[in-house]
Structure formats: structure tokens, C-alpha cells
Amino acid sequence: MFLLGLAAIVQIVFLPGYLALRLMRIRLGFFGALIGCFGLSLIINHFLVWGLVLTGVYRSGVIYGVFATECLLWFVLNVNVRKRPAQVPGLNMPIAEVLRRLGKSIQSGCADFLPRDLNDKPGLLRMAVLLTVVGLMIGYVIYETVLPDRIFTEWDAVVSWNRWAGEWAQNGMPRGTGEYPQLLPANLSLSYVFIQDTRVWFFAKAIMFLFGLGTLLAILDLGLKTDQVGYLLGVFFTFLLFHAILRARNLSSGYADVPVAFFAFGTVYFLLVGQVANLSHEKVGNLSYFKTLLPAALFAAGCALTKQTGLYLAAVFPLLAYLTLSRRERAGVRAGDKESPIVLEPFFPYSPHPNPLRAPRSGRGEGNLKPIIFAALLAFLLIAPWYLYKQWDIRYGDGFTNTAYLLTGIHEGRSAWQRLLHAGVLLREALSPPGAVFWGITLLAAVRHPVGRRFVLILVLPITLIWSFAFSYDTRNLALILPFAGVASGLGLMETLQAVEGWMQRRGTSLWRWTPNLLRACLENLPSPFGRGVRGEGCIEENGITGTIRPTALTLTLSQRERGPIYRYALRAPSGILLLLPILGLVILGSRFSPADLSARQEKLQRRIGLSDVNQRLYAYHREHGFRAAIASDYYCLAWLPELNRYCRACSTRDLPAFRAAYEDPRVGYALLHKTVIAPAVRDYIRRACDRGEVRVVFENRYYRLYEKLEKPKVEHQASTVETRRKR
């Protein structure tokens, strides 16, 4: 089961997307390839699962066959024996060549964020920002992977998204989805089909942290490609916004909010990557722009197929593509021009390649509309089938819509202006007053930056207004704009520093005059990581860092005198051998986890889903007294609690007739009801039953109250009737 679960993860997050990128011949760089593989795999799997379910063949055997075919195709694409290994990237490339290219990529990506010398204070700060961001992301990965006891525990993740995934895995269309799209549940269902068990959630939960990580990687890659610190600050600010607005537990909880943010920012990421690097360097026609737009259009479709809020991003996608890829924005800088204003030149170091994000504007030119229209049409064709099907199901089938409830009922009678005030209260509580002021100032300053202006005016501001008036019952609904707000804040902060530096330079001083020398003091005593014998431009001395600390490309020496034969053979061996090590490790690790062990661990962790306090009270009562009958409840997590799920009788508390239909069933002896989110008629009905002595309160906590039906004293009633007859 363990190895099958790992194969499911490879299918969900990597293999289909990798094959798609190879077949489309789109090269995005290392980070771009990771982001593209992940997002495109999810989109391809969504349509694969939907097609297999519609044809009734969504079974393990079929999925195994698809996976084996993809693995074979991957092997064919990565092994080419007809060309020299050094010229063809693949499994037959020598390890030395792989390491050389990796070192060259690291140097080209990070060189502009290293200081020119120890007196380069802005350079030291650039390096500090880069190291802080990288450390933050490494810490996030460790936090999500080192703690393996992770299953779905949050409300909607259990009762909605994961439940729908289980119904997909049963080779059927999920029920009760409302108008929610199913890209995420369809992908989660692959893990259940691979392991042939819907009761083990570890492998489905394991992919959820990748959405947040992919979003941060996209922002980091933009910073490295554009050489702008504002994007690196955007990584940090986006992470803070994720924690402030969504809370830490919702980053990988199984909700669709972070996934929709990943697809939304991924759409703009590919547009900006095409603007900066121009994916086809030899061509400048519409073909290269089509290659840029193709993954962006697919991600826009994926955004709308993840959650309904993604429809807004899909709607403005043509506008974003036109503004990003229009001729005035993609024109390169002239020879000798600087990329940024002189006042902050140290923070935006000059590099040989032009930076279109800071380029002078020229005429828009012609010929850009056709590929944009084609990309928008492609996104529409991918989005439309699901939403058309749901509208048909709602009108003619057994589907339903909860749009009216989300727009009116869930707001508890608040008017439009009261919702706006309530939205302000939620943001103030999430961000704190100083944080709200900071975000407001930086977002306002971001309007000066061409990319920040698009983010704020087209995405952040409109979606915030829509949320304030329509969906301000939960801050989770703002998830889509969080990466855009974080990046805009980073760019806005740099624009603010630029304005301050200009003001100070006009007065004969500089912002860096008071910069602490702590980094320099630390670097002066730092030993060289490259050892003796490294000399030349950008050298790093053995006893410390002197002169400039901008390293040259990493090189590998295969000298007979310096290296032994085992070392030489290892570096000349095909890189495909490196795959044997993780495969061997996974086989050994998988042998330690039997299906019984995984099932037992799942059952133990499943007792924590929902509200832990309510669960503990229920299990304590069950141990001491036991439940003699079923429990009518709107605590839907009860259906997934081990030992207690057999007592669950789900009921609705929105109206009295629906509640009484479940509660007055003779097989029901208890009622576990929310204390506040309940219809007034249902609350009055229970209160009157308590006053008549028909119901008693077993326990209550902050949110829920457990009632027990009391049996009527039938024996005493019969005795009193007999005595009355005798007197007569």
C-alpha cells in the first residue's frame, strides 16, 4: 500500500505535467518546470478522472495501465542513445555534467543578489533577504514533511472535499457538490484508487502543502529572473498573509483556498516569465507568445475548475495577458540603459539581459491579439463543460445550488453596509491595526510599479470589494488575492524606499548611511567553502572573504592526480543511476509500513477531526454510559469518528420540518446541535421540550450541546389509570 501511495503522489503532482511540458517543448527553468509539472498534472488528472468516470472504467487496473504507459513514455523521452550524452539532457547525462549545469544555474540565478564587496551594504541586504526567504521556505517544507501524522481534520476538508474524493474513487459522480468544481477532489481520488482504500488519507493529504510551496516558489523565481528584491520581499509578505488570513492550519488543511491561489498566481507567473525571458529566444513572432500563453491559459482554466472564485481570474485573464505581453511592455531596454532609477541602483543591479519589467514604454504594435484570443478561448473551452453540466444537473437532476445561502442566509441578516463593516472588523482582527496600516501604505505605493499596479487595480482591490459586500462571512474567501497582495506589498515597499532614498540624496545623504555593519562583521570571519586553490575574478580566499564575493560558476575537476578512480567513475556515470538511490530507500521504507499499520494509525488520528473538545466529550460519555440510540446532529464530522459513526443521523437545523423529520424518528435518542447556527424555530422547539421534561442536556461546550430524550413514565401512568378505574 505504501509504494502504491507514493506512485499515486507521482501521478498527481508530476508525471502528466512533465510529459505535457516535454511534448509542448516549453523550457521554463528549474522552478518553472516544477510549478508547471505540478499544475498541469492536476489539470490533466481532472479531465482523466472525469472521462473515466463517465465511461464507467475508473478502476485500479485502468489507472495502473495509464501510470505504466506514462512511465514508459517518460523513459523514452529521457533516454536518447543516438546522440552524445553530454548534449542531450536525460538519464544518460553524466553526473558531472548535471552538477556543472546545476552550479551554473545557481550562479546565474543568484549572482545579482550577492554583494560586490564587503562595503556594498545594499548588496549585503540583498543577500540577507534572499537567505531569509530561502530559509523560510526550507522551514515550511520541514514543518510539513517531518510531521507525518497528518490527515484531513478541518470541517469542509472532511465533510466536503475529501468526501467528494471518496465518491469519485467509487467510480461515480459525487453528490451534494452544489456548484463547487471538482479539480481538487478528482486528484485526491487518485490516491484512493491507487491504494484501493478510501479509509487511508495519508497520501491524499501529503500533496496539500505543495500548493502553498508552489506559490512561494513562483514568487521567488520571479525575483531571481527579474533581479528585483521586491519579489523576494513578496515571498515573505505572502507567507505572512497566508498565516494571518488563513491561519496556519488552513495552509494545507485540504480546503480549496490555497490551491485556487496557486493556480491564480501561476497564471500571472507564466505571463511574467514569458515577458522576462521570452521562452523561445530565437523567435520573436506569435509562436513564442503562444508558448507563453499556453501554460498561462491552462492555469487560468485550472483556477476556475478549483473553486468558483477562480472564475474572476479566468474572466480578467485576457486583460492581464494583453497588458503583460503587449509590445510596450515587452520591449527591451536600449544598449547602455539602466534597468532602474539611479537612486536605488544598488538594489536593482545591472545584468546583461534586458529587464522588460522596468523597460521604457513604446507603441503597442500589432499582432498580439490573435494568440491572446486563442488562449482565452482555450481556457473557456476547458472551463465551460463542468459549469454547464452543473447547471443542467441543478435544473433537471438532483443537484442544488447554495449561492443564495452564501449571499444572504449565512450573513445572519446583515445589510450590505453592515457586511462592509463586518469585513473591516475581520481584516483588523487578522492583520492587527499596525499591520493593516502597513499593507494599505505598501499597496498604495505599489501602484507606481507596472506589475504592482496591475495586481492592485485588477485583482486585489476589486476582489476585496466583492468579498466585503458578498462573501465576508470568512476571510478564507480572500485566499485568491493573497499572493498578489504580498507581491504588491513587496514592490510597494521598494517603491517607498526608492522615494525615501531620492529625497535623502537630494539633501546630500543616503539611506544606507545608517545601515548596520553586522553582516559585514559576520562575513569577515566566515571560512571559505571552496577551499584552497580558488582564484581569479570573484575569488573567495581561504582565510576569509576578501575583495568581491560574487562566485564564478561551479566547476568539477577530474584530474587523475587529485581524484581516485571511484570518484572519476561516479562522476562519469549516467545520472539515471541516481534514481536507484531514492527508489531503494522508498522500498526499504515501504516495507516498514503494512496496510494494517496505516489503517490503525488512520483510525487513531481520525478521532481528532472536527472539534477536539466535542470529540473528547462524546468519547468520554460513550465509555461511561454508551449511546443507546442514534444521534440526530448537524455536527457532520460525527459520521467520520471511529466507533461513533454508527450512531450518526445527519439532520438539517435550518428549518423545523426537516429537523423534526430526523429527530422524531423512534431510532433517535439524542441530538447534538450547534448552539448558535440554528434556526430560531428549532431552538424554541428544543427549549419547550426541555421545559416539559422530555429532553435533558448531557453536556455543552462553546459551540455544541448534546441533548438526550427522556423516556416517558409509562408504568406509573398505567398504574394511575388502574387506580382511577377502581375508584369509579
Side-chain angles (χ1 to χ4, degrees), residues 64-280:
Y64 295 158
V66 172
F67 183 73
T69 303
E70 292 174 347
C71 291
L72 179 61
L73 183 57
W74 175 83
F75 183 81
V76 171
L77 290 175
N78 283 277
V79 176
N80 191 338
V81 297
R82 293 176 298 176
K83 296 183 180 181
R84 289 183 296 175
Q87 294 179 346
V88 181
L91 297 178
N92 53 344
M93 176 181 289
I95 296 176
E97 179 67 13
V98 173
L99 295 178
R100 187 191 67 80
R101 294 191 180 191
L102 178 61
K104 187 176 180 180
S105 300
I106 294 175
Q107 179 208 355
S108 61
C110 303
D112 289 324
F113 288 94
L114 296 176
R116 291 184 289 269
D117 52 56
L118 292 178
N119 294 319
D120 181 12
K121 294 180 180 180
L124 293 175
L125 289 179
R126 286 197 306 270
M127 185 177 67
V129 172
L130 178 61
L131 294 178
T132 301
V133 169
V134 173
L136 174 69
M137 299 180 68
I138 293 175
Y140 175 61
V141 173
I142 293 175
Y143 173 77
E144 292 289 348
T145 56
V146 170
L147 302 176
D149 294 343
R150 298 294 182 89
I151 63 171
F152 300 110
T153 58
E154 299 299 319
W155 185 281
D156 283 350
V158 173
V159 304
S160 295
W161 300 104
N162 190 55
R163 176 177 65 83
W164 296 334
E167 294 178 1
W168 278 108
Q170 299 298 329
N171 197 16
M173 298 293 291
R175 298 172 289 103
T177 62
E179 294 172 326
Y180 286 96
Q182 296 293 300
L183 183 143
L184 181 60
N187 279 273
L188 297 181
S189 70
L190 283 169
S191 66
Y192 302 135
V193 175
F194 263 88
I195 65 176
Q196 304 180 36
D197 191 349
T198 60
R199 296 169 299 176
V200 177
W201 303 347
F202 293 107
F203 305 104
K205 179 64 167 60
I207 71 167
M208 295 308 302
F209 84 97
L210 296 176
F211 292 102
L213 179 63
T215 305
L216 300 179
L217 276 179
I219 303 173
L220 173 63
D221 195 36
L222 285 178
L224 297 177
K225 283 182 167 63
T226 61
D227 305 327
Q228 295 194 37
V229 179
Y231 285 102
L232 299 187
L233 293 175
V235 177
F236 182 70
F237 291 153
T238 300
F239 190 77
L240 290 181
L241 285 175
F242 274 152
H243 274 268
I245 301 297
L246 302 180
R247 305 303 178 191
R249 69 176 188 273
N250 288 331
L251 283 178
S252 59
S253 62
Y255 283 66
D257 303 295
V258 178
V260 78
F262 164 76
F263 278 108
F265 193 82
T267 303
V268 178
Y269 164 79
F270 284 113
L271 294 177
L272 293 176
V273 165
Q275 184 184 29
V276 173
N278 196 353
L279 300 179
S280 181

Side-chain angles (χ1 to χ4, degrees), residues 48-64 66 168-172 193:
L48 172 65
V49 170
W50 195 12
L52 293 178
V53 169
L54 291 179
T55 55
V57 294
Y58 187 37
R59 301 183 180 91
S60 299
V62 177
I63 291 299
Y64 295 158
V66 172
W168 278 108
Q170 299 298 329
N171 197 16
V193 175

Side-chain angles (χ1 to χ4, degrees), residues 335-401:
D337 286 348
K338 296 295 184 181
E339 297 181 53
S340 59
I342 189 64
V343 292
L344 268 190
E345 184 62 28
F347 248 108
F348 298 94
Y350 175 74
S351 58
H353 64 82
N355 188 342
L357 297 183
R358 308 295 298 186
R361 299 182 177 182
S362 59
R364 289 185 180 274
E366 300 177 355
N368 295 319
L369 288 179
K370 288 184 179 180
I372 293 176
I373 294 175
F374 183 86
L377 181 62
L378 174 63
F380 173 78
L381 293 177
L382 295 177
I383 296 170
W386 173 259
Y387 287 96
L388 292 177
Y389 161 73
K390 290 308 301 180
Q391 293 303 315
W392 178 89
D393 187 41
I394 292 171
R395 174 167 293 192
Y396 302 106
D398 57 354
F400 68 93
T401 176

Side-chain angles (χ1 to χ4, degrees), residues 681-726:
V682 176
R683 186 183 299 109
D684 294 340
Y685 175 82
I686 293 295
R687 180 179 53 79
R688 290 193 298 268
C690 291
D691 295 340
R692 293 193 299 267
E694 299 175 356
V695 175
R696 76 179 183 94
V697 177
V698 178
F699 70 78
E700 64 177 309
N701 72 340
R702 180 181 177 184
Y703 298 105
Y704 277 87
R705 185 180 288 123
L706 178 65
Y707 302 93
E708 180 184 10
K709 288 183 180 179
L710 299 178
E711 296 183 359
K712 297 180 180 179
K714 298 180 180 179
V715 178
E716 296 180 2
H717 176 70
Q718 293 175 357
S720 61
T721 303
V722 172
E723 185 67 22
T724 303
R725 289 178 180 177
R726 288 178 179 178

Side-chain angles (χ1 to χ4, degrees), residues 228-231 233-234 237 348 358 442 445-446 449-453 455 486-496:
Q228 295 194 37
V229 179
Y231 285 102
L233 293 175
F237 291 153
F348 298 94
R358 308 295 298 186
T442 53
H449 192 282
V451 175
R453 181 162 53 249
F455 286 179
V487 173
S489 295
L491 298 175
L493 180 59
M494 295 309 302
E495 293 290 337
T496 304

